[in-house]
Amino acid sequence: MTINNQMKYWGIFALVFVLSLWFLGDIMLPYVLGGAIAYFLDPVADRLEALGLSRVVSTVIITLVGVLIFLVGVLAVLPVLVEQTIALFETMPELVRDLRLFISQRFPELLNENSVMHQTLSSIGDVIKEKGGAVLQGVLSSAASVVNLVMLMVVVPVVTFYLLLDWDKMVARVDDLLPREHITVIRSLAAQIDNTLASFVRGMGSVCLILGTYYAIALMLVGLNFGLAVGFFAGAITFIPYIGSLLGGTLAIGLGLFQFWGDWFSLGLVGAIFVAGQIVEGNFLTPKLVGKSVGLHPVWLLFALSVFGALFGFVGMLVAVPIAAVIGVLARFFIGQYTNSYLYTGKAIEAQED
């Protein structure tokens, strides 16, 4: 098959994929989410099989444990998290007023009525309360209107169970359907994509979960208000190197300044929590669970999440990481092909000159 025909068929496949996301995004959500969870849990099932359990038993055990964790999260953690997040938005104007009072006492020259600082602090509280609360409620109501919660709770576990049960068979079947002419190259690229996704999705997902749990529990033990929300936020954005600890630590210390002013020991504990988290992440968690390089630059990842999220909504954000990994691996492959070609080396030109 000529290169033009191959490009035509692959282009048709890409077009069908994009149109499917565009028109069937909301319907595909439970299946994409179930597939992502099954991919995440496949190594666990393989590990249980290596211990002597059958694939069916391994899948049943993983499903029961997953449902139990989900129920505990929904019943015990999620209501508190939502309550603290909403309360944090509502408290922000008061915190801004306290900040303004603190600055007026310590640095009165910064709050000259004609200064930019004064105008900013005067309006930021109302903006946060109006816009922040509206954004949060809009996200919640939009998610509730787009996604049928009952359908998610029923369909996602079922999809995950069957995909996890037959994962190895599906991979083998797809491998049988690969074009024989390019099977070596496709297998190599697929292995690189899988390594990238495994490092990022499984590795960084585990790191985010561990650090988010650590931050939330530690901050609540210290007694910081909104500790659960701050810890969840810091853990959720840990996939961006240093940003999770930086933003989470800044938010936690900022809240601690108002709550623990004068109690420097408690405030120091808040800072120490994030310093310890950063040390553990950089020296133990990330090297062990993610590896030295996942092949996904943070800027490229954020760009992919922004673009696919804007175009295809929540489903687009779910597929953004795999697609970013595919594009990254393909880009490195084509760069390698280019640097080994006559176009780059100039060997053809040298041969003609000789």
Side-chain angles (χ1 to χ4, degrees):
M1 184 180 294
T2 63
I3 295 180
N4 289 336
N5 286 335
Q6 293 184 41
M7 294 298 295
K8 179 178 68 175
Y9 287 117
W10 285 112
I12 292 174
F13 172 79
L15 179 61
V16 171
F17 177 76
V18 171
L19 291 178
S20 299
L21 285 180
W22 186 271
F23 292 106
L24 303 176
D26 298 336
I27 298 174
M28 293 173 61
L29 176 58
Y31 304 95
V32 174
L33 190 58
I37 297 174
Y39 176 79
F40 185 87
L41 295 175
D42 179 61
V44 180
D46 293 339
R47 186 70 59 86
L48 292 177
E49 282 190 283
L51 295 177
L53 300 178
S54 67
R55 187 72 180 192
V56 175
V57 175
S58 302
T59 304
V60 170
I61 292 175
I62 293 173
T63 302
L64 292 177
V65 173
V67 170
L68 180 61
I69 295 175
F70 174 77
L71 291 176
V72 171
V74 169
L75 297 177
V77 179
L78 188 60
V80 179
L81 178 62
V82 173
E83 179 183 354
Q84 287 195 8
T85 304
I86 294 175
L88 181 59
F89 276 109
E90 293 177 346
T91 308
M92 278 297 180
E94 181 180 350
L95 296 177
V96 172
R97 286 193 296 269
D98 292 341
L99 176 61
R100 183 185 176 190
L101 178 61
F102 174 81
I103 294 177
S104 66
Q105 294 175 348
R106 303 284 179 173
F107 312 100
E109 64 277 3
L110 294 178
L111 289 181
N112 187 296
E113 293 186 358
N114 296 324
S115 68
V116 176
M117 177 68 73
H118 175 81
Q119 297 174 3
T120 301
L121 290 177
S122 298
S123 60
I124 192 172
D126 295 333
V127 171
I128 290 175
K129 185 174 182 179
E130 295 175 5
K131 301 298 184 181
V135 169
L136 181 63
Q137 295 294 341
V139 169
L140 294 175
S141 61
S142 175
S145 62
V146 172
V147 179
N148 188 324
L149 185 58
V150 176
M151 180 179 179
L152 278 179
M153 295 178 64
V154 173
V155 175
V156 170
V158 173
V159 172
T160 302
F161 177 85
Y162 283 107
L163 288 180
L164 186 59
L165 180 64
D166 296 327
W167 190 267
D168 294 338
K169 296 179 181 179
M170 291 187 299
V171 172
R173 180 57 179 161
V174 171
D175 184 75
D176 291 338
L177 296 176
L178 295 178
R180 301 293 99 177
E181 182 181 359
H182 307 291
I183 189 169
T184 302
V185 175
I186 294 177
R187 282 176 175 172
S188 175
L189 294 175
Q192 295 177 48
I193 293 170
D194 180 64
N195 290 335
T196 301
L197 286 179
S199 298
F200 188 85
V201 176
R202 296 170 183 154
M204 285 306 302
S206 300
V207 171
C208 291
L209 180 61
I210 293 172
L211 284 180
T213 303
Y214 158 72
Y215 287 139
I217 294 176
L219 291 175
M220 288 191 296
L221 290 177
V222 171
L224 181 69
N225 293 334
F226 317 111
L228 181 63
V230 174
F232 176 82
F233 169 75
I237 62 174
T238 298
F239 69 92
I240 309 174
Y242 306 107
I243 298 300
S245 296
L246 180 62
L247 293 183
T250 302
L251 179 59
I253 294 175
L255 293 172
L257 284 173
F258 294 102
Q259 181 179 345
F260 301 127
W261 183 258
D263 184 2
W264 305 117
F265 178 74
S266 297
L267 189 60
L269 286 178
V270 173
I273 287 171
F274 283 90
V275 172
Q278 185 63 41
I279 292 174
V280 172
E281 175 200 350
N283 293 280
F284 299 100
L285 293 179
T286 300
K288 180 67 175 179
L289 298 177
V290 180
K292 296 181 179 180
S293 176
V294 298
L296 285 178
H297 194 279
V299 175
W300 167 238
L301 180 64
L302 287 175
F303 176 77
L305 289 171
S306 301
V307 171
F308 282 89
L311 292 176
F312 308 112
F314 185 67
V315 177
M317 296 184 69
L318 288 178
V319 301
V321 174
I323 292 178
V326 171
I327 295 176
V329 170
L330 291 179
R332 290 190 291 272
F333 171 74
F334 286 120
I335 290 174
Q337 294 293 101
Y338 165 68
T339 55
N340 291 323
S341 67
Y342 289 149
L343 181 62
Y344 177 78
T345 61
K347 291 182 177 179
I349 298 177
E350 293 176 1
Q352 290 178 0
E353 291 177 353
D354 293 341

